[in-house]
Structures are given as C-alpha cells and as structure tokens.
Amino acid sequence: MVKRVAILDANRCVGCQICMLICSERLGYAGLTKSAIWVVTPGGVERGFTVIVCRACKDPPCARVCPEEALKIRPGGGVLLDPRKCIGCGHCVAACDIGAIRLDPETGKPIVCVYCGYCTQFCPHHVIALEEVL
Amino acid sequence: MKENWVNTLSRVLYIDLARKDYWVEDREDLFGEWLGGIGVATKLYGEEVASNADPLGPENSIIFSVGPLTAIYPMASKTIAVFKSPLNNNFSESHAGGRSASAMRFAGYGAIIIRYASERPVYLIIEPDKVRFRDAGALWGVRSAETVGRILREVTSGAGLRSILRIGGAGERLVRYASVMVETFRHFGRMGLGAVFGSKKLKAIVIIAGKNFKIPDLKEYREVRRELYELTRGPGTKKYHDLGTAENVIPLNVLGALPTRNFSGGRFEGAEEISGEKLAETMLARRVACSACPVACIHLAAIREEYEEEKFLYKTEFISYDYEPIYALGTNLGINDRFGLLKMLKAVEDWGLDAISTGVVLSWATEAFECGLINKDETLVSLRWGDWRAYIEAIKNIVLQPNEFYKTLALGVEEAAKKYGGREFALSFNKVEPAGYLTGPLYFISLAVGSRHSHLDAGAYSLDQKIFSRGEVLPKPEEAARMIAEEEAWRQVLTSLALCLFARSIYTPEKVTKALNALGYGFTPEELKKLGWKIYLEKQRIKRSEGFRPSEIRLPERIFETPTPLGKISKEYFQQALSAFDEVMGKWA
C-alpha cells in the first residue's frame, strides 16, 4: 500500500501555515511558494480554512494530460514527477479540479506532493496525517 | 555565512506616495548591525522623520520591518510598524501579526518605508520586485475595515500568500487612535497608525509572498527549530492557547487589579460574566493563528442575533476577543453583558478604532457626563455605565464626528479633558490611554516611559505582581526605573527578531543565540543583551530629540487615589522614578 497526506479535519486548522513552511523547508528553502500543500480561506479567516494537497487519485487526470509523460501514475494512487521530462506546459495544473498542483514561479515546473508526510509531523492541531491510500 | 542570511533580509523597499514611485536599496549596513525589526526600524525612523515633523503631514514616514527569524522559527510572526504618533507627536511603534510578517519576508523585503502622501485615495499591491499603485476611489468611504478586506480579497491575487492591511472610517477621518486592520482580527492597534494611513490617503496595502531563500545549514537549523517548536507547544504558551489572554480577567479581578469604571476600582462585580471561561463556554467559535505560530491565541466568538424587526431572520457574525478589549470596553465601562460587549467590539473593529483608547475615551466621557461637565447636547446619547447600546452610538459618533464634542473626542482623552475638564480622571500617559492593569506603580511608570503603550513594553505589571506575591517592599524609585529599562532593553532584541512577545519565556538569551547562530550569525548572549541596550538607548535618544521628557508629562490624579494590590500609589515615588529615568537617559542616550 502507498501513502498520502490525508486531511483529517479541516475545521481544526488554525491557518498557521506551518505545513506550507515545512514543505518548502523540505527542499532547503525558507518560503511559501515551493509548498505542495496550501492553506487558504474560503472568504476570510472567520470562515475557517481550506487545506489543499494532492489526494493521490487512483486515476489521476493530471498524468493523463501530460504530453511528455513527466507525470507518471504511482501504483496504488497518486503521481510521480520526473522534472527532467517536464516542459512546464501547465496542463496538469488545469486538469486538477481540486487545485493541488501549482507551477513554481521560479522554475516554471509543477509542484506536487511527494507523499513524504514531513508536514504532518509539525501540524500542531492534527489536521493532517500520513495515511494509506484506500 | 552570516552575510548570506543578512543579505536575504536587507532589501529595503522605498515607496513614494506623492510621485507614485518606488525603489529598493540594500541596507546591509543596518541589518548587519541592528538585526531587523525594531532595531532597524528605529534607525530608519531616525533617517526618515525629522524631530519637528507633523505626524499627519506628508513628512511623517511609516516604516514596517521584519527580522532574521521571521516565519522560519515558531512564533516569529510579527511585523513592526514605526511612525510618529498623532496622539503624542513622538516616535512610536506598534506590532501586528496575521500573515503580514511572512508575506513581507517572502515578498523579499526586510523593511518597507512609505513616504509622503497621495493626492487622491490609493492602495498598494506589493509583490516581489514590483509595486502597483491602485486607485482607491471606490474603496474610500467604505466605512468597515472588514468590508475593505473582503473586496480586496476578490480583486487581488495571491490567496494563501498575501496579507491585507487596511483602514476603516476612523483612519480616513483621522481619529487619532484609528487602527490598521491586518487580515481580519489582527491590528496595528495602538498609537494611531490608522490616522497616519488616512493622512496619506492610503486605504490599504496588499503584500504578496513569492520568494524563497536557501537555508544555509539545514541540519543545524532543523535541530534548533524542532527544539523551539516543542517548547512553543509546552506549558510556556498554555495560557494563550487554552482560554487566550481573556484568561486574565478572573485572576486580575481577584487581585483587585482589574481596572473598573474608569480606573475608579480594581474589582468588577460582573467579571465572571465576561471572563475567558464564560466566553469560551458560551461563544467561542474558532481559534486562529498568525503565520508560523502553533499556539493560535486568536479567539473568535460567534454572535448569533435575530433581527428585531423580522422574527426568525438571523445573522451570525464573528469577532475576536482578548483581555485588553474586555477591560477597555467591558470592565472599564461597567459592561457585564457578554453579547453587548462583543457587539461593541464588533463596532470598534468595523470602524477601525483602537479598542483600548476608545474604551478609555468613553470611560472619561461617562464620568464627565455623570458629574455634569458635559450633557446630552454634547454627547447626543446618555452615557451610563453598562449601557452598551448607547456606547455603540457613541463609537459611531467618534468616527463620524457630528459635533464639536465628538470632534474633540476623536483627538484622544488628553485633548477632550483639556477642553471639557475632568483632567484628574482623564487616564493617559504621555497622551496615550493606558492598557488595563491596576497592579501597582511600576506598571504605570512603564507606560509613561514606553513607546508602544502596550502592557508588553516592559511587562511591568508582572514586576508589580512579583513584589506583591513575595510580600516585598517597593524598590527605590531609581531602582524601579532601572528594572523597567532593563526588561525593556532585552525586549528590543526579541522585537528585532521579530518575535511575538508571548514567546518571551521560550526565547531566552541562550535560545535566541542558538536560533540566530544556526543561520550563520555569531552572537553570544551577552552581545545580544548589549545590542538590546543599544537599540533602547537609540530610541530614547530619538524621543528626547523630539522633546520627550518623562518627568514633565501630566499624571492623572486618579491613579494616586485608587488602591492597587500594592496599596495607593505615591505620586512622589512616581515622579522620583520618572526623574531618575530622565536623568539617566539624558546622560546615556
């Protein structure tokens, strides 16, 4: 079985963005835009937070629209990016209806979760956890 | 290695509102020597603002700054604003969280300076390497700061990466204690930054992150970060995440240090009803955090309300509460109705006022009304302790200023009492209304000499309480002044980094040294403490050049009449402490 970052309860999220900061730090950076997990508000903090991260689809549209086979389907669910093949066309971004893929403004290539679960070690309010893909 | 991290921070963005121009300067000279945050902002203020500058004239500059730890260590969440205050014509500072600090840091700026004034209403969109000047004609006159944020969220990009700073009606109409709202529910509250925005015709600033900085030594950084992260989740911050700062209401009431009805007493019979416990039990709806903070001290209450004129039509609104607004608009105005208190807070939030100053201005007005110095011709509504509906009307009037009285009230309690009398019960220290602790003399002395007029300037309420709980006698006045300065000097380091002061027990000199050195700095704890003094004295030097002499400020008689846990405060003692402070700063600064 393979794993993914599961949103256990977005209502527990306090919007601290530590998951985003930690995900950027995974690559050695201080910043927000290299993160594969996103915390946004659906209309101001009083409405609570939405946490967006790749849910590891069994049949991922992002991989199907990739013209260069840079996004490979991961057996069991989700995708794996081969940045050497990626031409930065952004089709994967448009194909993901939940908005879990973004282009890194600096490299022009997609940022997509690698299912490592590093962010889940630091979520102070148990919003996210590394779980097996069912 | 040190240079590397300093260089990620040392870009200063200069914005000229008059010419709609901007440029970036590398100020490694400042960030290398003065860290960031308040240290750098103080130096920049010295460069920018002349000692005789009019706070509401184009010659006042606004300086925002962040620090070397911003958003990469837990609770390094604050943006420092420095400007000349329209309340007292002095150097002043205000700190706010939300997402302002992380947005600014990762937009790539260690400091942002806003110069001069626009001819017409404007708002700014600040991105990495770009500033856009937008016409704020459609937003000017939108009275609720919350609505302004809602509109800007729709028309700007950067969801999840941005911070939105804006003013409401109070800032536009130059109420001297207008605030700047950050996201929703965080503020540059004190000292009137909202009025300075208004005077520049600056309605809002949107800051959008987009840069990333390579961390020099990942292994060492991760180790220190993990250690600090564990500590911020421990007992050192428990109070802030459980009940939040509202937890203070009951213990201060028991102690007799909860300012009540314009500081005429230290115990409020309705304290239980508006306590952190009661609010959590009945109205707490959600908790929210600033960026990079695991604590989430921001407590939001839901106010569910049926429309009077239409049965079964309801609305639910959210409002944040904290200890200070509970004191200022609650106990200080005799409010024991939770619902009413939150409605008042909501009004203050919408109009974009500082809750503390507003509460104290109204408590003076209520007392002046009670003893006949003013009457309904002036106040338009009958101001009586506990009548929150009347207070909501008065809050609106402070902003809209329908008559001479409210025009004066909008200038602060000092000016109001000068004109209408009742100076002995007009609570202000260096013309700024006090935060809410009736703990003893050291606290009020710290307000008199502070620049932020927050209880956190020097935390002297805690010095008072220690003296009380240990049953000690008061230190000599000179010693009191020294203790306050000493504590405040160290806090200059914390706010240069720029940390939330709720993390002060975690970030000890040793821990701060570790955190900085993991990024390649080479400090010792002693050097940091020295730097704290250097920043503190620089601040004092600037304030003195503007004419500030603590021994010359007016002291409200009321604080020498109302007993504190340490007994009645002696005026002589107070003045001796201020003179001692004056003398030492005259020599050193």
Side-chain angles (χ1 to χ4, degrees), chain B residues 438-465:
Chain B
L438 200 59
T439 48
L442 271 66
Y443 172 65
F444 289 113
I445 293 165
S446 80
L447 287 184
V449 302
S451 305
R452 189 183 167 199
H453 290 258
S454 153
H455 66 299
L456 290 171
D457 273 3
Y461 58 95
S462 161
L463 297 175
D464 282 332
Q465 280 169 274

PDB file of all heavy atoms in Angstrom, chain B residues 438-465:
ATOM      1  N   LEU B 438      -4.138  47.376  36.866  1.00  0.00           N
ATOM      2  CA  LEU B 438      -4.071  48.246  38.036  1.00  0.00           C
ATOM      3  C   LEU B 438      -3.233  47.542  39.107  1.00  0.00           C
ATOM      4  O   LEU B 438      -3.661  47.338  40.224  1.00  0.00           O
ATOM      5  CB  LEU B 438      -5.503  48.514  38.537  1.00  0.00           C
ATOM      6  CG  LEU B 438      -5.771  49.716  39.420  1.00  0.00           C
ATOM      7  CD1 LEU B 438      -5.386  51.019  38.751  1.00  0.00           C
ATOM      8  CD2 LEU B 438      -7.255  49.752  39.797  1.00  0.00           C
ATOM      9  N   THR B 439      -2.030  47.116  38.685  1.00  0.00           N
ATOM     10  CA  THR B 439      -1.243  46.240  39.563  1.00  0.00           C
ATOM     11  C   THR B 439      -0.379  47.000  40.550  1.00  0.00           C
ATOM     12  O   THR B 439      -0.018  46.462  41.590  1.00  0.00           O
ATOM     13  CB  THR B 439      -0.316  45.358  38.712  1.00  0.00           C
ATOM     14  OG1 THR B 439       0.356  46.179  37.757  1.00  0.00           O
ATOM     15  CG2 THR B 439      -1.100  44.274  37.994  1.00  0.00           C
ATOM     16  N   GLY B 440      -0.002  48.231  40.214  1.00  0.00           N
ATOM     17  CA  GLY B 440       0.877  48.985  41.096  1.00  0.00           C
ATOM     18  C   GLY B 440       1.672  50.020  40.325  1.00  0.00           C
ATOM     19  O   GLY B 440       1.453  50.216  39.127  1.00  0.00           O
ATOM     20  N   PRO B 441       2.615  50.683  41.011  1.00  0.00           N
ATOM     21  CA  PRO B 441       3.300  51.833  40.391  1.00  0.00           C
ATOM     22  C   PRO B 441       4.186  51.477  39.198  1.00  0.00           C
ATOM     23  O   PRO B 441       4.262  52.239  38.241  1.00  0.00           O
ATOM     24  CB  PRO B 441       4.139  52.407  41.541  1.00  0.00           C
ATOM     25  CG  PRO B 441       4.285  51.305  42.526  1.00  0.00           C
ATOM     26  CD  PRO B 441       3.051  50.469  42.410  1.00  0.00           C
ATOM     27  N   LEU B 442       4.872  50.326  39.258  1.00  0.00           N
ATOM     28  CA  LEU B 442       5.838  50.060  38.200  1.00  0.00           C
ATOM     29  C   LEU B 442       5.161  49.968  36.837  1.00  0.00           C
ATOM     30  O   LEU B 442       5.694  50.436  35.829  1.00  0.00           O
ATOM     31  CB  LEU B 442       6.633  48.770  38.495  1.00  0.00           C
ATOM     32  CG  LEU B 442       7.900  49.004  39.325  1.00  0.00           C
ATOM     33  CD1 LEU B 442       7.568  49.486  40.719  1.00  0.00           C
ATOM     34  CD2 LEU B 442       8.766  47.761  39.367  1.00  0.00           C
ATOM     35  N   TYR B 443       3.967  49.393  36.825  1.00  0.00           N
ATOM     36  CA  TYR B 443       3.247  49.278  35.564  1.00  0.00           C
ATOM     37  C   TYR B 443       2.980  50.661  34.953  1.00  0.00           C
ATOM     38  O   TYR B 443       3.266  50.896  33.780  1.00  0.00           O
ATOM     39  CB  TYR B 443       1.937  48.521  35.769  1.00  0.00           C
ATOM     40  CG  TYR B 443       1.068  48.555  34.541  1.00  0.00           C
ATOM     41  CD1 TYR B 443       1.494  47.939  33.374  1.00  0.00           C
ATOM     42  CD2 TYR B 443      -0.132  49.247  34.523  1.00  0.00           C
ATOM     43  CE1 TYR B 443       0.724  48.000  32.209  1.00  0.00           C
ATOM     44  CE2 TYR B 443      -0.899  49.312  33.375  1.00  0.00           C
ATOM     45  CZ  TYR B 443      -0.470  48.693  32.227  1.00  0.00           C
ATOM     46  OH  TYR B 443      -1.220  48.758  31.089  1.00  0.00           O
ATOM     47  N   PHE B 444       2.456  51.564  35.757  1.00  0.00           N
ATOM     48  CA  PHE B 444       2.118  52.885  35.203  1.00  0.00           C
ATOM     49  C   PHE B 444       3.382  53.672  34.819  1.00  0.00           C
ATOM     50  O   PHE B 444       3.390  54.417  33.852  1.00  0.00           O
ATOM     51  CB  PHE B 444       1.263  53.678  36.184  1.00  0.00           C
ATOM     52  CG  PHE B 444      -0.137  53.147  36.313  1.00  0.00           C
ATOM     53  CD1 PHE B 444      -0.585  52.570  37.491  1.00  0.00           C
ATOM     54  CD2 PHE B 444      -1.011  53.197  35.235  1.00  0.00           C
ATOM     55  CE1 PHE B 444      -1.879  52.074  37.605  1.00  0.00           C
ATOM     56  CE2 PHE B 444      -2.300  52.703  35.332  1.00  0.00           C
ATOM     57  CZ  PHE B 444      -2.740  52.139  36.520  1.00  0.00           C
ATOM     58  N   ILE B 445       4.436  53.488  35.603  1.00  0.00           N
ATOM     59  CA  ILE B 445       5.695  54.153  35.249  1.00  0.00           C
ATOM     60  C   ILE B 445       6.176  53.655  33.877  1.00  0.00           C
ATOM     61  O   ILE B 445       6.612  54.429  33.029  1.00  0.00           O
ATOM     62  CB  ILE B 445       6.774  53.898  36.339  1.00  0.00           C
ATOM     63  CG1 ILE B 445       6.364  54.587  37.644  1.00  0.00           C
ATOM     64  CG2 ILE B 445       8.150  54.399  35.884  1.00  0.00           C
ATOM     65  CD1 ILE B 445       7.137  54.131  38.867  1.00  0.00           C
ATOM     66  N   SER B 446       6.029  52.341  33.656  1.00  0.00           N
ATOM     67  CA  SER B 446       6.476  51.784  32.369  1.00  0.00           C
ATOM     68  C   SER B 446       5.655  52.344  31.207  1.00  0.00           C
ATOM     69  O   SER B 446       6.173  52.554  30.116  1.00  0.00           O
ATOM     70  CB  SER B 446       6.420  50.252  32.391  1.00  0.00           C
ATOM     71  OG  SER B 446       5.101  49.792  32.174  1.00  0.00           O
ATOM     72  N   LEU B 447       4.365  52.605  31.455  1.00  0.00           N
ATOM     73  CA  LEU B 447       3.552  53.213  30.390  1.00  0.00           C
ATOM     74  C   LEU B 447       4.037  54.633  30.097  1.00  0.00           C
ATOM     75  O   LEU B 447       4.060  55.069  28.948  1.00  0.00           O
ATOM     76  CB  LEU B 447       2.084  53.270  30.806  1.00  0.00           C
ATOM     77  CG  LEU B 447       1.290  51.967  30.824  1.00  0.00           C
ATOM     78  CD1 LEU B 447      -0.169  52.273  31.169  1.00  0.00           C
ATOM     79  CD2 LEU B 447       1.356  51.234  29.493  1.00  0.00           C
ATOM     80  N   ALA B 448       4.412  55.334  31.155  1.00  0.00           N
ATOM     81  CA  ALA B 448       4.837  56.725  30.980  1.00  0.00           C
ATOM     82  C   ALA B 448       6.103  56.823  30.131  1.00  0.00           C
ATOM     83  O   ALA B 448       6.285  57.777  29.390  1.00  0.00           O
ATOM     84  CB  ALA B 448       5.065  57.373  32.348  1.00  0.00           C
ATOM     85  N   VAL B 449       6.974  55.828  30.244  1.00  0.00           N
ATOM     86  CA  VAL B 449       8.240  55.916  29.505  1.00  0.00           C
ATOM     87  C   VAL B 449       8.247  55.060  28.229  1.00  0.00           C
ATOM     88  O   VAL B 449       9.206  55.082  27.469  1.00  0.00           O
ATOM     89  CB  VAL B 449       9.455  55.511  30.392  1.00  0.00           C
ATOM     90  CG1 VAL B 449       9.522  56.414  31.622  1.00  0.00           C
ATOM     91  CG2 VAL B 449       9.393  54.038  30.813  1.00  0.00           C
ATOM     92  N   GLY B 450       7.148  54.304  27.973  1.00  0.00           N
ATOM     93  CA  GLY B 450       7.127  53.371  26.842  1.00  0.00           C
ATOM     94  C   GLY B 450       6.892  54.046  25.512  1.00  0.00           C
ATOM     95  O   GLY B 450       6.503  55.212  25.436  1.00  0.00           O
ATOM     96  N   SER B 451       7.107  53.284  24.441  1.00  0.00           N
ATOM     97  CA  SER B 451       6.896  53.816  23.089  1.00  0.00           C
ATOM     98  C   SER B 451       5.771  53.106  22.368  1.00  0.00           C
ATOM     99  O   SER B 451       5.360  53.515  21.291  1.00  0.00           O
ATOM    100  CB  SER B 451       8.169  53.631  22.255  1.00  0.00           C
ATOM    101  OG  SER B 451       9.244  54.200  22.915  1.00  0.00           O
ATOM    102  N   ARG B 452       5.331  51.998  22.943  1.00  0.00           N
ATOM    103  CA  ARG B 452       4.320  51.181  22.277  1.00  0.00           C
ATOM    104  C   ARG B 452       3.012  51.250  23.047  1.00  0.00           C
ATOM    105  O   ARG B 452       1.948  50.947  22.534  1.00  0.00           O
ATOM    106  CB  ARG B 452       4.855  49.745  22.235  1.00  0.00           C
ATOM    107  CG  ARG B 452       4.064  48.779  21.416  1.00  0.00           C
ATOM    108  CD  ARG B 452       4.678  47.379  21.529  1.00  0.00           C
ATOM    109  NE  ARG B 452       3.763  46.381  21.010  1.00  0.00           N
ATOM    110  CZ  ARG B 452       3.828  45.091  21.282  1.00  0.00           C
ATOM    111  NH1 ARG B 452       4.788  44.618  22.066  1.00  0.00           N
ATOM    112  NH2 ARG B 452       2.965  44.253  20.769  1.00  0.00           N
ATOM    113  N   HIS B 453       3.116  51.610  24.324  1.00  0.00           N
ATOM    114  CA  HIS B 453       1.964  51.731  25.210  1.00  0.00           C
ATOM    115  C   HIS B 453       1.131  50.462  25.251  1.00  0.00           C
ATOM    116  O   HIS B 453      -0.086  50.485  25.312  1.00  0.00           O
ATOM    117  CB  HIS B 453       1.142  52.973  24.881  1.00  0.00           C
ATOM    118  CG  HIS B 453       1.860  54.233  25.261  1.00  0.00           C
ATOM    119  ND1 HIS B 453       1.576  54.955  26.391  1.00  0.00           N
ATOM    120  CD2 HIS B 453       2.924  54.840  24.680  1.00  0.00           C
ATOM    121  CE1 HIS B 453       2.404  55.984  26.482  1.00  0.00           C
ATOM    122  NE2 HIS B 453       3.242  55.937  25.453  1.00  0.00           N
ATOM    123  N   SER B 454       1.834  49.350  25.158  1.00  0.00           N
ATOM    124  CA  SER B 454       1.225  48.049  25.376  1.00  0.00           C
ATOM    125  C   SER B 454       1.693  47.587  26.749  1.00  0.00           C
ATOM    126  O   SER B 454       2.739  48.022  27.225  1.00  0.00           O
ATOM    127  CB  SER B 454       1.720  47.084  24.289  1.00  0.00           C
ATOM    128  OG  SER B 454       1.697  45.759  24.761  1.00  0.00           O
ATOM    129  N   HIS B 455       0.937  46.675  27.355  1.00  0.00           N
ATOM    130  CA  HIS B 455       1.394  46.128  28.641  1.00  0.00           C
ATOM    131  C   HIS B 455       2.705  45.363  28.452  1.00  0.00           C
ATOM    132  O   HIS B 455       3.419  45.089  29.396  1.00  0.00           O
ATOM    133  CB  HIS B 455       0.338  45.219  29.242  1.00  0.00           C
ATOM    134  CG  HIS B 455       0.083  43.974  28.444  1.00  0.00           C
ATOM    135  ND1 HIS B 455      -0.378  44.012  27.148  1.00  0.00           N
ATOM    136  CD2 HIS B 455       0.266  42.678  28.745  1.00  0.00           C
ATOM    137  CE1 HIS B 455      -0.489  42.773  26.702  1.00  0.00           C
ATOM    138  NE2 HIS B 455      -0.101  41.936  27.644  1.00  0.00           N
ATOM    139  N   LEU B 456       3.006  45.030  27.181  1.00  0.00           N
ATOM    140  CA  LEU B 456       4.198  44.231  26.905  1.00  0.00           C
ATOM    141  C   LEU B 456       5.463  45.069  26.694  1.00  0.00           C
ATOM    142  O   LEU B 456       6.531  44.518  26.482  1.00  0.00           O
ATOM    143  CB  LEU B 456       3.968  43.342  25.686  1.00  0.00           C
ATOM    144  CG  LEU B 456       2.984  42.191  25.910  1.00  0.00           C
ATOM    145  CD1 LEU B 456       2.659  41.508  24.598  1.00  0.00           C
ATOM    146  CD2 LEU B 456       3.524  41.181  26.903  1.00  0.00           C
ATOM    147  N   ASP B 457       5.348  46.383  26.750  1.00  0.00           N
ATOM    148  CA  ASP B 457       6.543  47.229  26.613  1.00  0.00           C
ATOM    149  C   ASP B 457       7.658  46.708  27.512  1.00  0.00           C
ATOM    150  O   ASP B 457       8.755  46.418  27.063  1.00  0.00           O
ATOM    151  CB  ASP B 457       6.233  48.676  27.016  1.00  0.00           C
ATOM    152  CG  ASP B 457       5.680  49.488  25.861  1.00  0.00           C
ATOM    153  OD1 ASP B 457       5.490  48.913  24.775  1.00  0.00           O
ATOM    154  OD2 ASP B 457       5.434  50.685  26.040  1.00  0.00           O
ATOM    155  N   ALA B 458       7.328  46.622  28.797  1.00  0.00           N
ATOM    156  CA  ALA B 458       8.320  46.142  29.758  1.00  0.00           C
ATOM    157  C   ALA B 458       7.738  45.049  30.639  1.00  0.00           C
ATOM    158  O   ALA B 458       8.407  44.539  31.528  1.00  0.00           O
ATOM    159  CB  ALA B 458       8.814  47.294  30.620  1.00  0.00           C
ATOM    160  N   GLY B 459       6.473  44.722  30.433  1.00  0.00           N
ATOM    161  CA  GLY B 459       5.831  43.706  31.275  1.00  0.00           C
ATOM    162  C   GLY B 459       5.854  44.064  32.747  1.00  0.00           C
ATOM    163  O   GLY B 459       5.954  43.205  33.618  1.00  0.00           O
ATOM    164  N   ALA B 460       5.744  45.361  33.058  1.00  0.00           N
ATOM    165  CA  ALA B 460       5.940  45.780  34.450  1.00  0.00           C
ATOM    166  C   ALA B 460       4.771  45.404  35.360  1.00  0.00           C
ATOM    167  O   ALA B 460       4.911  45.414  36.580  1.00  0.00           O
ATOM    168  CB  ALA B 460       6.202  47.282  34.514  1.00  0.00           C
ATOM    169  N   TYR B 461       3.619  45.041  34.779  1.00  0.00           N
ATOM    170  CA  TYR B 461       2.519  44.507  35.603  1.00  0.00           C
ATOM    171  C   TYR B 461       3.011  43.252  36.320  1.00  0.00           C
ATOM    172  O   TYR B 461       2.595  42.957  37.430  1.00  0.00           O
ATOM    173  CB  TYR B 461       1.297  44.180  34.730  1.00  0.00           C
ATOM    174  CG  TYR B 461       1.625  43.177  33.643  1.00  0.00           C
ATOM    175  CD1 TYR B 461       1.398  41.820  33.825  1.00  0.00           C
ATOM    176  CD2 TYR B 461       2.226  43.593  32.464  1.00  0.00           C
ATOM    177  CE1 TYR B 461       1.767  40.904  32.855  1.00  0.00           C
ATOM    178  CE2 TYR B 461       2.592  42.687  31.490  1.00  0.00           C
ATOM    179  CZ  TYR B 461       2.363  41.346  31.691  1.00  0.00           C
ATOM    180  OH  TYR B 461       2.739  40.434  30.743  1.00  0.00           O
ATOM    181  N   SER B 462       3.917  42.552  35.649  1.00  0.00           N
ATOM    182  CA  SER B 462       4.441  41.333  36.240  1.00  0.00           C
ATOM    183  C   SER B 462       5.451  41.654  37.355  1.00  0.00           C
ATOM    184  O   SER B 462       5.513  40.952  38.367  1.00  0.00           O
ATOM    185  CB  SER B 462       5.064  40.501  35.120  1.00  0.00           C
ATOM    186  OG  SER B 462       5.944  39.560  35.624  1.00  0.00           O
ATOM    187  N   LEU B 463       6.215  42.736  37.191  1.00  0.00           N
ATOM    188  CA  LEU B 463       7.124  43.170  38.264  1.00  0.00           C
ATOM    189  C   LEU B 463       6.311  43.532  39.510  1.00  0.00           C
ATOM    190  O   LEU B 463       6.640  43.119  40.623  1.00  0.00           O
ATOM    191  CB  LEU B 463       7.963  44.375  37.810  1.00  0.00           C
ATOM    192  CG  LEU B 463       8.922  44.165  36.627  1.00  0.00           C
ATOM    193  CD1 LEU B 463       9.582  45.482  36.229  1.00  0.00           C
ATOM    194  CD2 LEU B 463       9.982  43.120  36.963  1.00  0.00           C
ATOM    195  N   ASP B 464       5.226  44.292  39.311  1.00  0.00           N
ATOM    196  CA  ASP B 464       4.339  44.643  40.436  1.00  0.00           C
ATOM    197  C   ASP B 464       3.832  43.389  41.135  1.00  0.00           C
ATOM    198  O   ASP B 464       3.850  43.285  42.361  1.00  0.00           O
ATOM    199  CB  ASP B 464       3.111  45.422  39.922  1.00  0.00           C
ATOM    200  CG  ASP B 464       3.422  46.881  39.627  1.00  0.00           C
ATOM    201  OD1 ASP B 464       4.327  47.436  40.268  1.00  0.00           O
ATOM    202  OD2 ASP B 464       2.740  47.452  38.758  1.00  0.00           O
ATOM    203  N   GLN B 465       3.364  42.436  40.319  1.00  0.00           N
ATOM    204  CA  GLN B 465       2.752  41.234  40.903  1.00  0.00           C
ATOM    205  C   GLN B 465       3.769  40.389  41.668  1.00  0.00           C
ATOM    206  O   GLN B 465       3.440  39.775  42.673  1.00  0.00           O
ATOM    207  CB  GLN B 465       2.064  40.416  39.806  1.00  0.00           C
ATOM    208  CG  GLN B 465       0.695  41.006  39.452  1.00  0.00           C
ATOM    209  CD  GLN B 465       0.113  40.392  38.188  1.00  0.00           C
ATOM    210  OE1 GLN B 465       0.401  40.833  37.085  1.00  0.00           O
ATOM    211  NE2 GLN B 465      -0.705  39.374  38.349  1.00  0.00           N
TER     212      GLN B 465
END
